Amino acid sequence: MIDNPYYTHDFHGDYDLIGIGALDLEEGGSIPDCRLAVATFGTLNEAKDNAILIPTWYSGTHQIWRDAYIGPDHALDPSKYFIVCVDQIGNGLSTSPHNATGVNAEIAMSNFPRVRIGDNVVAQERLLREHFGIERLALVTGGSMGAQQTYEWAVRFPDKVLRAAPIAGTARNTPGDFLIAEIMREAILSDPGWNGGEYTSHTQVVDGLTRQAHIWGVLGFSTEFWKQEVWRAMEFESLDAFLTGFLEPYFTAMDPNALLTQSWAWQRGDVSRHTGGDLAAALGRITAKTFVIPIDEDQLFPVRDCAAEQELIKGSELRVVEDVLGHLGLFAVAPTYMPQIDRHLADLLAIEV
Amino acid sequence: MIDNPYYTHDFHGDYDLIGIGALDLEEGGSIPDCRLAVATFGTLNEAKDNAILIPTWYSGTHQIWRDAYIGPDHALDPSKYFIVCVDQIGNGLSTSPHNATGVNAEIAMSNFPRVRIGDNVVAQERLLREHFGIERLALVTGGSMGAQQTYEWAVRFPDKVLRAAPIAGTARNTPGDFLIAEIMREAILSDPGWNGGEYTSHTQVVDGLTRQAHIWGVLGFSTEFWKQEVWRAMEFESLDAFLTGFLEPYFTAMDPNALLTQSWAWQRGDVSRHTGGDLAAALGRITAKTFVIPIDEDQLFPVRDCAAEQELIKGSELRVVEDVLGHLGLFAVAPTYMPQIDRHLADLLAIEV
């Protein structure tokens, strides 16, 4: 167990660690005592038909959803819905390499097994069914890796997902996006302080984490973000101040093995694993009313990649969000971002299914 | 002097090393004995008005121009023009950190001074005037950093440049592109084998050079390049084979300090240094007939960045090249690439000025 102040209630507020038992994994091996960090908002109604599931993205947690996306002024309104944010396995809050202790000690650090998008979805389904008694979801939505999990839900459990809203993510990862994640991984793996995954403090990997932050600076935002100096609106005085005051501290606070666990899954997100590689067949299984919501300046999941998948989903709609921040528009920094998201999610939730 | 087989006539065919004497630099310091690698094609006519100058891009040399762009079937036709390809300072062939010996020994390796785009252009002007007796150029063209030098020529020496064709590059580098170059630099700088610039063989920096190759894989090409598996047309059987058989060997053959020398200049390309930061004023100086030629899928120098500059150049035209390879379309791999370049350059050369 490595002490990391980032993965605490101090930083992440209220959440519960809920055990779902042993979780066997697609790649082999298992997590002996799989615990999911879960934050809920609102109340499950008696019919248990007002539940919304939100899986998390790479490096992210339930926190950004709580702070930016969920509230009485948003489509994700806790007065109407029971909203369940589940932190993905390996995100530092749920069972992760650096916090694997006790019965999980055998999978600590470099011994942590490979976890796929599908493993997360299986874990979430078990959590919802066994812990909350939820059999069907009014909506599954998430950004980036959360979109990957949303697609996985809609394909793997079509009867359980009434509506789906994958934001800034794809159902089958593209090779270009695989390579993007790879250079982010290499930034960490190349740091001698990483030490094959057996560091004793994440601060030993600060160089690699910083380099990764810089790669996010390039690919997470758009060239227009930098050209227009959008960081000024975030109250930074210079590009360097934004890097050293925001991007670098954001990523260097995190656990390197947690990031590597997540990016391994990110690289391999692919619903067509259910259909022998046939993406059209996989997406053809979806019965959820689906809004595909890419961000126009996203370099990781470009609109054309998202649109090509949307066309394979029956009755779906393409809803493009405009945001010069690009992929990291997901942070909901631009004042024009959440109104677009809210409109799309509200439209989707208003559709009777 | 480090022996590197890549920077030899074996790899680069015929070229001359031409000394232009001591070169004082904008950032201070000087190159005591500045030698430029120069490859020429065709014959200078008596009027000395058929000369075309081609400066090189980051990591590139005259070789790609010789092999792909110049010939009797191309607009850059040696039967009509005297074509002078000048390798930029620090590109490994011209005076560079790893080949600085003799009177240049004081600037070897980590002692190599900072060289700007403007220093290269000053050196080239001196070379053309003193060595070839050329006072005016029918055309200056180049890709990427070659485009930066083309713009610098047209702004610094407007009377000497009749036509200008910057391809896939900008007159003033954008902050986003600065950051792209920075993550490429960090890939090298973070390799312990780089040793503060004092390695004894470039092979000691193979890890950093490999990581840089992977970053080029992401940003140099487009996501569509990878999605469409365009590498198959280059006769590779898999993405990994393309990486290990092409991109990695290409960059790991090079000298790390040479790449760092070039990228430092690349990051700071800016013609508005002549006009106190006023880009419109700088571009307003251009009297050359100018075709601005971006590549539609270029992530480093997006069309919109090039178009914004083109609008500031009197009588200029925007000629967008379509190429799914993106920035590295400059390698002229796609069969549809050179016909577009040739058409634009031929159109430009046909204009009486």
Side-chain angles (χ1 to χ4, degrees):
Chain A
M1 177 80 189
I2 288 182
D3 224 28
N4 183 325
Y6 183 66
Y7 301 112
T8 61
H9 290 282
D10 285 349
F11 268 82
H12 284 97
D14 286 339
Y15 60 88
D16 296 310
L17 272 179
I18 304 177
I20 60 162
L23 183 71
D24 292 332
L25 301 166
E26 290 184 26
E27 290 289 308
S30 71
I31 298 174
D33 175 21
C34 184
R35 296 183 183 207
L36 298 176
V38 181
T40 67
F41 309 88
T43 308
L44 186 62
N45 63 14
E46 283 197 26
K48 298 194 171 184
D49 65 1
N50 71 332
I52 292 175
L53 173 69
I54 304 172
T56 60
W57 59 61
Y58 175 79
S59 84
T61 69
H62 62 270
Q63 168 269 327
I64 181 72
W65 286 86
R66 179 197 66 203
D67 292 351
Y69 288 75
I70 297 169
D73 300 331
H74 294 295
L76 300 175
D77 180 353
S79 72
K80 292 185 194 170
Y81 299 104
F82 179 60
I83 302 165
V84 185
C85 264
V86 182
D87 289 288
Q88 65 172 306
I89 297 164
N91 88 328
L93 294 176
S94 295
T95 299
S96 298
H98 85 281
N99 68 16
T101 52
V103 63
N104 282 337
E106 66 190 72
I107 59 165
M109 301 299 279
S110 64
N111 294 312
F112 204 76
R114 288 171 169 171
V115 179
R116 282 189 174 270
I117 297 290
D119 295 316
N120 272 289
V121 168
V122 166
Q124 290 156 15
E125 192 274 342
R126 194 193 297 176
L127 168 85
L128 293 177
R129 184 168 34 82
E130 296 187 350
H131 189 80
F132 295 105
I134 295 169
E135 295 283 352
R136 302 183 84 187
L137 290 158
L139 170 68
V140 182
T141 187
S144 198
M145 285 189 77
Q148 291 182 310
Q149 292 167 76
T150 299
Y151 277 119
E152 180 74 19
W153 261 97
V155 171
R156 186 183 280 258
F157 300 118
D159 294 343
K160 288 176 173 260
V161 183
L162 298 186
R163 300 174 192 82
I167 304 170
T170 51
R172 179 163 73 185
N173 204 23
T174 65
D177 196 55
F178 183 101
L179 294 172
I180 289 172
E182 191 66 19
I183 65 174
M184 294 178 178
R185 293 173 60 82
E186 288 180 349
I188 295 173
L189 299 172
S190 63
D191 187 334
W194 179 65
N195 189 30
E198 292 296 335
Y199 49 87
T200 56
S201 163
H202 71 285
T203 60
Q204 293 165 345
V205 197
V206 67
D207 289 349
L209 292 170
T210 302
R211 290 198 295 277
Q212 195 209 196
H214 295 170
I215 295 173
W216 270 108
V218 164
L219 286 154
F221 296 114
S222 69
T223 52
E224 274 302 289
F225 169 86
W226 296 108
K227 191 174 188 184
Q228 297 178 15
E229 301 188 344
V230 178
W231 39 263
R232 290 197 188 278
M234 298 158 76
E235 301 192 358
F236 290 95
E237 289 187 0
S238 69
L239 186 154
D240 281 343
F242 177 71
L243 289 179
T244 59
F246 176 75
L247 260 192
E248 293 174 13
Y250 181 75
F251 281 105
T252 56
M254 297 180 189
D255 183 76
N257 286 340
L259 294 173
L260 293 169
T261 299
Q262 293 169 85
S263 58
W264 191 90
W266 160 17
Q267 292 180 301
R268 291 163 183 81
D270 181 3
V271 296
S272 78
R273 287 166 52 81
H274 294 290
T275 50
D278 184 337
L279 182 62
L283 295 175
R285 288 190 183 183
I286 296 177
T287 54
K289 180 67 187 176
T290 302
F291 280 11
V292 171
I293 308 177
I295 299 173
D296 61 349
E297 294 274 0
D298 193 328
Q299 299 184 77
L300 278 63
F301 303 96
V303 171
R304 57 185 166 195
D305 291 340
C306 300
E309 295 184 338
Q310 178 265 319
E311 290 169 8
L312 298 173
I313 302 170
K314 287 185 291 285
S316 65
E317 290 185 32
L318 184 71
R319 297 283 188 114
V320 179
V321 168
E322 295 179 3
D323 196 330
V324 73
L325 272 80
H327 191 68
L328 295 182
L330 286 168
F331 283 128
V333 166
T336 50
Y337 175 79
M338 275 312 301
Q340 296 178 78
I341 294 292
D342 279 332
R343 181 164 57 84
H344 300 315
L345 294 184
D347 286 353
L348 178 57
L349 285 165
I351 296 173
E352 291 293 330
V353 291
Chain B
M1 176 80 190
I2 288 181
D3 224 27
N4 183 326
Y6 183 68
Y7 302 112
T8 62
H9 290 282
D10 285 349
F11 269 81
H12 284 97
D14 286 340
Y15 61 88
D16 296 312
L17 271 180
I18 304 177
I20 60 162
L23 183 71
D24 292 332
L25 301 167
E26 291 184 24
E27 291 289 308
S30 71
I31 298 174
D33 175 20
C34 184
R35 296 184 182 205
L36 299 176
V38 181
T40 66
F41 309 87
T43 307
L44 186 61
N45 62 15
E46 283 196 25
K48 297 192 172 185
D49 65 0
N50 70 331
I52 292 175
L53 174 69
I54 304 171
T56 59
W57 59 63
Y58 175 78
S59 85
T61 69
H62 62 270
Q63 168 268 327
I64 181 73
W65 287 86
R66 180 197 67 202
D67 292 351
Y69 288 75
I70 297 169
D73 300 332
H74 293 296
L76 300 175
D77 180 354
S79 73
K80 294 184 194 169
Y81 299 104
F82 179 59
I83 303 165
V84 185
C85 265
V86 182
D87 290 288
Q88 66 172 305
I89 297 164
N91 87 329
L93 294 176
S94 295
T95 298
S96 299
H98 85 281
N99 69 17
T101 53
V103 65
N104 283 336
E106 67 190 71
I107 59 166
M109 300 300 280
S110 64
N111 294 312
F112 205 77
R114 287 172 169 171
V115 179
R116 281 190 175 269
I117 296 290
D119 296 316
N120 272 290
V121 168
V122 165
Q124 291 156 15
E125 193 274 342
R126 193 194 297 177
L127 169 84
L128 293 176
R129 182 166 38 79
E130 296 187 351
H131 189 80
F132 294 106
I134 295 169
E135 295 284 352
R136 301 184 85 186
L137 290 159
L139 171 68
V140 182
T141 187
S144 199
M145 285 189 76
Q148 291 181 309
Q149 293 168 76
T150 298
Y151 277 118
E152 180 74 20
W153 261 96
V155 171
R156 185 183 282 259
F157 301 118
D159 295 342
K160 288 179 172 259
V161 183
L162 299 185
R163 299 174 191 83
I167 305 170
T170 51
R172 178 164 73 185
N173 204 25
T174 65
D177 196 55
F178 183 101
L179 293 173
I180 288 172
E182 191 67 18
I183 65 172
M184 292 177 181
R185 292 173 60 81
E186 288 180 349
I188 294 173
L189 299 172
S190 62
D191 187 333
W194 179 65
N195 189 30
E198 293 294 337
Y199 49 88
T200 55
S201 162
H202 70 286
T203 59
Q204 291 164 347
V205 197
V206 66
D207 289 348
L209 292 170
T210 301
R211 289 198 295 276
Q212 194 209 198
H214 294 171
I215 295 172
W216 270 108
V218 164
L219 285 154
F221 296 113
S222 69
T223 52
E224 274 303 288
F225 170 86
W226 295 109
K227 191 174 187 184
Q228 296 178 16
E229 301 190 342
V230 179
W231 40 263
R232 289 195 188 279
M234 298 159 77
E235 302 193 357
F236 289 94
E237 289 186 0
S238 68
L239 186 155
D240 281 344
F242 177 71
L243 289 178
T244 59
F246 176 76
L247 261 192
E248 293 175 13
Y250 181 75
F251 281 105
T252 56
M254 297 180 187
D255 183 76
N257 285 341
L259 294 173
L260 292 170
T261 300
Q262 295 169 82
S263 58
W264 191 90
W266 160 18
Q267 290 180 303
R268 291 160 182 83
D270 181 3
V271 297
S272 79
R273 286 165 53 80
H274 295 289
T275 51
D278 184 337
L279 182 63
L283 294 176
R285 288 191 183 183
I286 296 177
T287 54
K289 180 66 186 176
T290 302
F291 281 11
V292 172
I293 308 177
I295 299 173
D296 62 349
E297 293 276 357
D298 195 329
Q299 299 184 77
L300 278 63
F301 304 96
V303 171
R304 58 185 166 195
D305 291 340
C306 300
E309 295 185 336
Q310 179 265 320
E311 290 169 9
L312 299 173
I313 303 170
K314 287 185 292 285
S316 64
E317 291 185 31
L318 183 71
R319 298 283 187 113
V320 179
V321 168
E322 295 179 1
D323 197 330
V324 73
L325 272 81
H327 190 67
L328 295 183
L330 286 168
F331 282 130
V333 166
T336 49
Y337 175 79
M338 275 312 301
Q340 296 178 77
I341 293 293
D342 279 331
R343 180 164 58 83
H344 300 315
L345 294 183
D347 286 353
L348 179 57
L349 285 164
I351 296 172
E352 291 294 328
V353 289

